[in-house]
């Protein structure tokens, strides 16, 4: 049977295993060192500084509530708002002060549309300002125009910043979601592609739940399709994104270089250890039948081991003292005693009697010889 099996095996032709032909990993150390960015140049940096000054001036000079809110929103979505935190805080503080003053008026009227109100609510809440759902009072129910998709989208985004106390605002999530889905399903609508893309993106996940840096990369492409695109904002967003990318690349290179150096150091230490072990073995072989040499080797190894043994015995003294202190603290506390017992069982330590513990112990009662088996 065995011969028949061998003959059958030999008669079968060997099939060459097909190669998956995988490409080399892009995360190799050599590939990471080749990463570069053509935007990390002096002229690009100077251009970005000029654009920051222009945008800062724009923030100071922009008038009108809706224009200010849209500018702040665009800066956030483009990922460059962190350059203008002072200006943005000033604008939102003024908006909040006007909002509070408006609420105190008894004869206040509807002075803002739904789009501006929802945008104001979302930005103020994102930045920690106190604003209630009452701002939507006149828009709930019959006051909501579901044909204004831009306003419905703004309300949808704002509703996801509601708290458990904003019951009315929470109810709008279902309605706005349904309305936006119907809008997306419409094949022939005259709405711009920008609004359509924003609606589809929001239905996948609301803006404030997304990763801001990834969202900025997506919005940079979409923002250029709007009819009122600000070229300075778009150019600054592209430059800033590439600058941040350079920082990430440098950090990745540094981490890869450190990992490579650690691996090389470990390889050298392993090589040295192999050489040391081989030398020790050679000395043992040479010392066979030579009592003088055997005694010299024994004395040398004992001298090298004493400091290490002393350190380990000192650590054992401290560990025993701490265990005794824990046992004294656990006297009369069943919960703590149970926790100590479970911990020691998990570590493989013997169960101790708390009543026999000595927190003032200075020397171990039975010091362990860590070199018995060496």
């Amino acid at each position: 049977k065995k011969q028949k099996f061998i003959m059958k095996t030999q008669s079968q032709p060997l099939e060459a295993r097909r190669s998956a032909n995988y490409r080399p990993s892009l995360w190799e150390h050599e590939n990471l060192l080749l990463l570069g960015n053509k935007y990390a140049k002096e002229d690009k940096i100077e251009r970005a500084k000029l654009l920051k000054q222009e945008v800062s001036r724009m923030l100071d000079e922009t008038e009108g509530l809706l224009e200010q809110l849209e500018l702040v929103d665009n800066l956030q979505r483009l990922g460059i708002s962190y350059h203008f935190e002072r200006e943005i805080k000033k604008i939102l503080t003024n908006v909040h002060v006007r909002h509070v003053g408006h609420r105190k008026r008894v004869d206040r009227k509807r002075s803002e549309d739904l789009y501006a109100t929802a945008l104001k609510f979302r930005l103020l809440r994102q930045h920690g300002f106190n604003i209630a759902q009452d701002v939507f009072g006149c828009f709930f129910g019959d006051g909501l125009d579901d044909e204004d998709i831009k306003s419905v989208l703004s309300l949808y985004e704002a509703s996801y910043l509601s708290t458990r106390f904003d019951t009315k605002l929470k109810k709008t999530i279902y309605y706005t979601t349904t309305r936006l889905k119907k809008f997306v399903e419409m094949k022939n609508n005259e709405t711009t592609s920008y609004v359509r893309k924003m609606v589809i993106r929001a239905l996948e996940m609301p803006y404030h739940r997304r990763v801001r840096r990834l969202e900025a990369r997506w919005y940079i492409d979409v923002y250029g399709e709007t009819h009122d695109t600000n070229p300075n904002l778009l150019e600054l967003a592209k430059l800033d994104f590439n600058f941040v990318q350079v920082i990430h690349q440098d950090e990745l290179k540094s981490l890869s270089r450190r990992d490579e150096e650690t691996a090389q150091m470990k390889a050298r230490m392993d090589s040295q250890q192999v050489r040391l072990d081989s030398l020790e073995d050679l000395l043992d072989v040479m010392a066979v039948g030579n009592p003088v040499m055997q005694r010299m080797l024994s004395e040398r190894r004992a001298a090298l081991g004493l400091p290490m043994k002393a350190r380990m015995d000192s650590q054992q003294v401290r560990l025993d003292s701490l265990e005794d202190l824990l046992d004294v603290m656990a006297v009369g506390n069943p919960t703590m005693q149970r926790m100590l017992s479970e911990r020691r069982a998990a570590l493989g330590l013997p169960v101790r009697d708390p009543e026999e513990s000595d927190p003032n112990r200075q020397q171990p009662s039975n010091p362990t010889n860590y070199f018995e088996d060496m």
Side-chain angles (χ1 to χ4, degrees):
K1 292 182 179 179
K2 187 175 181 180
Q3 291 179 350
K4 185 182 292 186
F5 175 77
I6 293 175
M7 293 297 293
K8 185 177 181 180
T9 304
Q10 290 178 348
S11 64
Q12 292 177 348
L14 296 176
E15 295 183 4
R17 185 174 181 180
R18 292 180 297 174
S19 173
N21 197 23
Y22 291 118
R23 294 182 179 180
S25 174
L26 296 177
W27 296 99
E28 295 294 336
H29 179 64
E30 292 75 12
N31 294 334
L32 294 177
L33 294 180
L34 296 177
L35 291 176
N37 195 310
K38 63 181 180 180
Y39 292 93
K41 297 181 180 180
E42 191 64 29
D43 57 335
K44 299 293 184 181
I45 296 175
E46 292 299 324
R47 177 58 180 167
K49 290 181 180 179
L50 294 176
L51 290 172
K52 288 179 187 178
Q53 296 175 1
E54 180 64 24
V55 175
S56 180
R57 183 186 61 80
M58 190 188 311
L59 285 166
D60 293 333
E61 296 179 357
T62 300
E63 298 181 355
L65 174 65
L66 182 57
E67 289 75 13
Q68 290 178 331
L69 294 175
E70 287 183 332
L71 179 56
V72 172
D73 187 43
N74 284 327
L75 289 174
Q76 286 189 169
R77 290 180 178 272
L78 290 170
I80 54 178
S81 59
Y82 68 97
H83 292 297
F84 312 100
E85 292 181 351
R86 180 183 59 82
E87 294 87 345
I88 291 175
K89 184 176 181 180
K90 180 181 177 182
I91 289 176
L92 294 180
T93 300
N94 293 334
V95 171
H96 185 256
V97 169
R98 290 200 299 268
H99 166 71
V100 173
H102 181 72
R103 284 187 60 192
K104 292 181 179 179
R105 298 178 187 174
V106 179
D107 59 341
R108 66 181 185 274
K109 297 180 180 180
R110 176 175 170 177
S111 57
E112 303 169 3
D113 61 5
L114 175 59
Y115 170 71
T117 302
L119 182 58
K120 177 179 71 174
F121 179 89
R122 176 167 63 85
L123 290 176
L124 289 178
R125 281 221 168 168
Q126 282 181 349
H127 288 265
F129 290 92
N130 184 22
I131 181 170
Q133 65 173 353
D134 298 342
V135 295
F136 297 106
C138 56
F139 298 107
F140 291 134
D142 297 335
L144 180 59
D145 181 11
D146 61 358
E147 295 301 324
D148 186 1
I149 294 300
K150 196 174 180 181
S151 297
V152 175
L153 176 61
S154 186
L155 179 59
Y156 169 84
E157 292 278 11
S159 63
Y160 275 92
L161 277 86
S162 59
T163 65
R164 60 190 180 92
F165 301 105
D166 302 325
T167 55
K168 292 183 179 180
L169 190 58
K170 279 183 173 295
K171 292 179 180 178
T172 63
I173 295 178
Y174 173 76
Y175 166 75
T176 52
T177 302
T178 304
R179 181 64 187 92
L180 292 176
K181 286 182 178 179
K182 289 182 179 179
F183 166 76
V184 172
E185 292 171 358
M186 293 171 58
K187 295 182 179 180
N188 299 321
N189 56 65
E190 300 177 356
T191 312
T192 61
S193 60
Y194 165 77
V195 176
R196 187 177 183 83
K197 289 181 179 179
M198 293 293 291
V199 170
I200 295 174
R201 186 78 169 178
L203 287 174
E204 292 175 355
M205 182 181 293
Y207 166 69
H208 80 283
R209 291 185 178 178
R210 290 185 175 273
V211 179
R212 297 300 174 86
R213 205 64 204 165
L214 300 180
E215 185 67 8
R217 179 63 187 88
W218 177 84
Y219 191 72
I220 287 174
D221 294 334
V222 177
Y223 180 68
E225 301 178 5
T226 60
H227 66 281
D228 55 350
T229 301
N230 188 310
N232 289 336
L233 291 184
L234 186 58
E235 184 181 1
L236 178 59
K238 291 180 179 179
L239 288 174
D240 184 76
F241 187 89
N242 285 300
F243 291 158
V244 175
Q245 197 81 347
V246 171
I247 296 175
H248 292 166
Q249 289 174 354
D250 291 340
E251 292 175 346
L252 186 59
K253 291 177 184 178
S254 178
L255 291 173
S256 178
R257 188 179 298 110
R258 185 179 306 174
D259 184 66
E260 188 71 13
E261 292 173 354
T262 302
Q264 293 176 0
M265 184 181 298
K266 185 177 183 301
R268 287 197 300 269
M269 293 178 66
D270 291 341
S271 175
Q272 291 174 356
Q273 186 63 42
V274 170
R275 293 177 60 191
L276 287 172
D277 292 341
S278 65
L279 286 174
E280 292 286 347
D281 293 339
L282 179 60
L283 288 172
D284 287 334
V285 172
M286 293 173 64
V288 173
N290 190 334
V292 177
M293 192 172 182
Q294 291 178 358
R295 186 177 67 255
M296 292 174 61
L297 287 176
S298 300
E299 292 175 353
R300 168 185 167 274
R301 289 166 182 169
L304 292 175
L306 282 176
M308 185 182 297
K309 183 177 184 299
R311 287 195 298 270
M312 297 179 72
D313 285 342
S314 176
Q315 292 176 353
Q316 185 64 35
V317 170
R318 297 175 61 189
L319 288 171
D320 290 340
S321 177
L322 289 173
E323 291 287 350
D324 289 339
L325 180 60
L326 287 172
D327 285 333
V328 172
M329 295 172 63
V331 172
N333 189 334
T335 302
M336 191 171 182
Q337 290 178 5
R338 185 178 67 253
M339 292 173 61
L340 287 176
S341 299
E342 292 175 353
R343 167 185 167 274
R344 287 165 183 163
L347 294 174
L349 300 175
V351 179
R352 303 173 55 158
D353 186 359
E355 302 293 342
E356 299 178 357
S357 300
D358 180 12
N360 298 318
R361 180 200 305 232
Q362 298 298 326
Q363 296 293 334
S365 57
N366 185 21
T368 305
N369 188 352
Y370 295 95
F371 297 88
E372 287 180 351
D373 300 328
M374 293 185 63

